[in-house]
Amino acid sequence: MSDEKPLPKWLIPGLALFKLFIHLLTNTNYSFHRDEYLYLTEGLQPAWGYLEIPPLTAFIASIIQFLGGSLFITRLFPALIGGAMVWLIGKLVQALGGKTWAVVIACAALIISPAFLRTHTLFQPVSFNQFNWFLVGYLLVRLVQSQQGRYWYYLGIMAGIGMLTKYSIAFYLLSLFVALLISRHRSWFGTRYPYLALLIALVIASPNLLWQYTNGFPLFRHMEELRETQLVNVSTIEFVLNQFLMNFSASIVWIGGLIYLLRHRAASDFRFLGWAYLFTFGLLVFMSGKPYYLLGAYPILFVFGGLAMTQWIRRESRQMVLAGTLVFFNLTSIPMGLPVFPLESMKKYCTFVSNYMGMGQLLVWEDGKSRPLPQDYADMVGWEEMARRVGKFYNSLTPEQQKDCLIWGGSYGHAGAMQHYREKYQLPDNIYSLSSSFVLWANPQADFKTQILVSDERFDSSEWYHQVDLVDSVRNADARDPGYIYYRTDPKVDVKERWKQSIREVKAGYGIE
């Protein structure tokens, strides 16, 4: 007997609130992530572009800074995005005729997916980017259902906002264009609507495109750096395997949704969404993209997966068993996405899942090496300790020594953390880095004779200084970065001129004058 009961009014908002609640309950269990320090600093430096991302995340970061910049407030935003995504998944399933258990299965797939648990915990562009991908798919479904041209305008708006969020949405948009072109819906390209949508998207994205143009398109250099340092370590096998590991048992739902879209007669109007997924998959494999780049394509598959499961499994009792089974089997993988365990327990858990559950691939970092913790977890450890130790040493200097000292973060994580805790640990304004967008804000006229340098590398000498003293480091062994703190004195060269030269060279590498 199929489920023909009316959908309970509380079901969709209840599932969305549950998703929000689990993040509000856990999002302060670990400290800020390395990348979060960068984005929060960008929120203090409003611009139409940055070296690694478009401006939307920084705009949200400026709101977070206005609200106080606490860990809870920072991570409230991705949690809200997660709740909104669950709500929209449920509403779309309902609009497509799905009943109670179709909604539950589709929404539960997103709620229990380890990958989406993590992206809705951390304040990073990926959560907003994935939401944009889903909204594009959502609007296309509504377009097909209604055959109203106005949905193209909404698509143009969303595509433009997506380009202001993360450029990777271009892969999905291109794939959707090709998929629509070979579908029965290609007749739309004989109307004005798609071209007006394109114009709307370009107008919305134009401030960032202009920023890229006037700054020599640093995006291309950033992509080249990614290929050289990170993407080179991504294999096709790793990319494919992670599509299943990232979602774990929820993979059954997206696989069902993909099969349903490609094979089932009832989904023929939306078949282009299945092809768009496959085209995007192929593009990212060809480009050696990171596995998580494809995550934005899964929520729309969850929608059709919920419909598929209840089409193939007609009895309500069996649909209920399926939903319970999905949740049960994903319980063991939830700590990979949601920070529910303290670090020591998390390390033991990671050892267990690696040895006995075949999930060791999730412990491989971007350098291709396996570690005791997932990279994102290690990236949430040690940064405040580093800033505190820098502050302690800096404040041990005499006022004359402080006046002549420049603080240099070897990475954006070092500089971002010191900037975030600057007032708390009585650090000065002159905290700089030549890493990522920090090079845009580095003062070439900085007046200094000595340096406090924070780096993840060990070295005993310098081309700039005769005296290099390792004065402290991060003591937490679980931290990704050792945070070596050096005090460099007795210049060999004109350090102010060398500083100007270094800024020019790094900017030139990005094509920035």
Side-chain angles (χ1 to χ4, degrees):
M1 179 178 178
S2 62
D3 180 7
E4 297 295 340
K5 298 176 183 176
L7 195 68
K9 292 183 178 180
W10 56 264
L11 180 62
I12 295 174
L15 289 167
L17 286 173
F18 176 75
K19 167 71 171 172
L20 177 62
F21 175 75
I22 60 177
H23 288 290
L24 298 185
L25 196 65
T26 60
N27 68 4
T28 58
N29 287 352
Y30 286 59
S31 189
F32 288 99
H33 187 282
R34 177 180 68 157
D35 292 352
E36 290 175 319
Y37 291 114
L38 171 63
Y39 304 132
L40 288 172
T41 305
E42 288 175 343
L44 300 171
Q45 305 284 344
W48 279 113
Y50 302 89
L51 295 187
E52 57 286 310
I53 58 169
L56 186 64
T57 303
F59 172 74
I60 297 171
S62 67
I63 298 173
I64 291 169
Q65 295 284 22
F66 177 77
L67 295 174
S70 70
L71 183 60
F72 179 82
I73 290 296
T74 301
R75 292 185 175 167
L76 173 63
F77 283 80
L80 289 170
I81 287 292
M85 190 177 288
V86 169
W87 185 77
L88 284 173
I89 286 173
K91 296 301 288 185
L92 189 54
V93 172
Q94 184 181 24
L96 288 165
K99 301 300 181 180
T100 298
W101 289 105
V103 169
V104 170
I105 291 168
C107 292
L110 185 102
I111 293 171
I112 64 175
S113 166
F116 287 100
L117 285 171
R118 191 178 298 183
T119 58
H120 294 139
T121 292
L122 301 175
F123 176 69
Q124 295 177 332
V126 291
S127 59
F128 309 109
N129 182 48
Q130 291 160 7
F131 190 55
N132 290 333
W133 283 41
F134 174 62
L135 281 177
V136 168
Y138 176 96
L139 289 170
L140 281 169
V141 171
R142 300 299 289 153
L143 170 68
V144 169
Q145 284 186 313
S146 68
Q147 290 297 302
Q148 295 180 17
R150 62 188 173 92
Y151 279 100
W152 280 105
Y153 304 146
Y154 305 150
L155 282 164
I157 294 170
M158 191 47 53
I161 293 173
M163 290 300 294
L164 292 179
T165 305
K166 209 169 188 293
Y167 301 116
S168 63
I169 196 173
F171 293 121
Y172 193 48
L173 294 174
L174 177 61
S175 297
L176 282 166
F177 168 73
V178 175
L180 283 168
L181 203 58
I182 63 174
S183 76
R184 67 178 66 173
H185 305 296
R186 59 183 171 272
S187 58
W188 277 110
F189 293 106
T191 71
R192 69 182 186 276
Y193 295 109
Y195 310 104
L196 289 173
L198 176 61
L199 179 62
I200 291 169
L202 290 174
V203 168
I204 292 173
S206 61
N208 178 250
L209 296 176
L210 181 61
W211 183 91
Q212 286 285 342
Y213 173 76
T214 56
N215 287 279
F217 287 97
L219 165 67
F220 298 134
R221 175 55 187 156
H222 178 64
M223 291 174 64
E224 184 180 339
E225 280 187 349
L226 279 177
R227 284 195 298 269
E228 293 172 352
T229 61
Q230 298 179 26
L231 302 186
V232 69
N233 298 310
V234 180
S235 68
T236 300
I237 293 175
E238 176 189 351
F239 183 91
V240 173
L241 181 61
N242 270 279
Q243 302 313 311
F244 302 97
L245 291 178
M246 289 188 301
N247 292 298
F248 209 53
S249 69
S251 296
I252 296 172
V253 182
W254 74 255
I255 292 170
L258 181 60
I259 295 171
Y260 185 71
L261 283 169
L262 295 177
R263 304 291 298 173
H264 204 283
R265 183 179 301 175
S268 60
D269 282 342
F270 309 105
R271 189 151 294 151
F272 66 92
L273 290 169
W275 286 112
Y277 169 83
L278 294 177
F279 294 154
T280 311
F281 184 101
L283 269 175
L284 291 175
V285 168
F286 177 75
M287 299 288 291
S288 297
K290 294 182 183 181
Y292 76 84
Y293 288 0
L294 191 57
L295 278 175
Y298 289 111
I300 197 71
L301 295 185
F302 289 154
V303 168
F304 288 94
L307 293 168
M309 296 303 173
T310 51
Q311 286 284 325
W312 298 334
I313 303 172
R314 291 289 184 172
R315 288 185 178 275
E316 182 179 353
S317 59
R318 293 177 181 176
Q319 295 169 2
M320 183 172 19
V321 169
L322 173 63
T325 302
L326 290 173
V327 173
F328 175 78
F329 278 104
N330 247 32
L331 286 176
T332 55
S333 68
I334 283 174
M336 277 294 185
L338 201 65
V340 292
F341 289 153
L343 273 175
E344 288 305 313
S345 299
M346 185 65 188
K347 286 191 290 186
K348 293 176 183 177
Y349 163 81
C350 288
T351 300
F352 173 79
V353 298
S354 177
N355 292 342
Y356 300 104
M357 295 178 60
M359 296 175 66
Q361 191 63 39
L362 296 178
L363 300 177
V364 176
W365 290 13
E366 62 192 20
D367 61 3
K369 298 179 182 179
S370 182
R371 304 295 203 290
L373 285 168
Q375 182 171 311
D376 281 336
Y377 282 75
D379 258 330
M380 291 187 276
V381 180
W383 298 105
E384 182 172 1
E385 179 192 348
M386 178 272 297
R388 174 170 53 81
R389 293 184 181 278
V390 172
K392 180 180 178 182
F393 177 75
Y394 175 80
N395 287 292
S396 72
L397 301 176
T398 66
E400 292 76 17
Q401 290 172 320
Q402 291 178 357
K403 182 180 177 181
D404 290 335
C405 185
L406 176 143
I407 299 180
W408 186 346
S411 75
Y412 64 78
H414 301 126
M418 287 188 287
Q419 175 65 41
H420 186 77
Y421 298 110
R422 186 174 61 81
E423 293 184 3
K424 183 175 182 179
Y425 296 116
Q426 298 178 295
L427 288 165
D429 291 333
N430 60 339
I431 298 171
Y432 300 115
S433 178
L434 300 185
S435 171
S436 291
S437 287
F438 275 91
V439 71
L440 300 174
W441 317 316
N443 179 13
Q445 306 302 324
D447 187 11
F448 65 97
K449 295 178 182 176
T450 63
Q451 287 180 351
I452 294 174
L453 171 66
V454 188
S455 176
D456 59 359
E457 298 181 29
R458 289 293 300 264
F459 46 80
D460 302 315
S461 62
S462 166
E463 294 180 359
W464 292 32
Y465 291 94
H466 289 288
Q467 188 70 29
V468 178
D469 297 313
L470 178 62
V471 296
D472 212 339
S473 65
V474 172
R475 309 294 172 82
N476 193 322
D478 294 316
R480 174 185 176 180
D481 195 296
Y484 298 122
I485 303 168
Y486 298 94
Y487 187 43
R488 310 204 298 184
T489 57
D490 190 11
K492 294 179 182 180
V493 297
D494 184 338
V495 291
K496 289 189 287 186
E497 186 57 37
R498 186 64 67 87
W499 173 248
K500 293 178 186 178
Q501 180 184 346
S502 297
I503 294 174
R504 285 196 299 268
E505 289 175 353
V506 175
K507 284 186 174 181
Y510 285 102
I512 302 172
E513 297 181 358

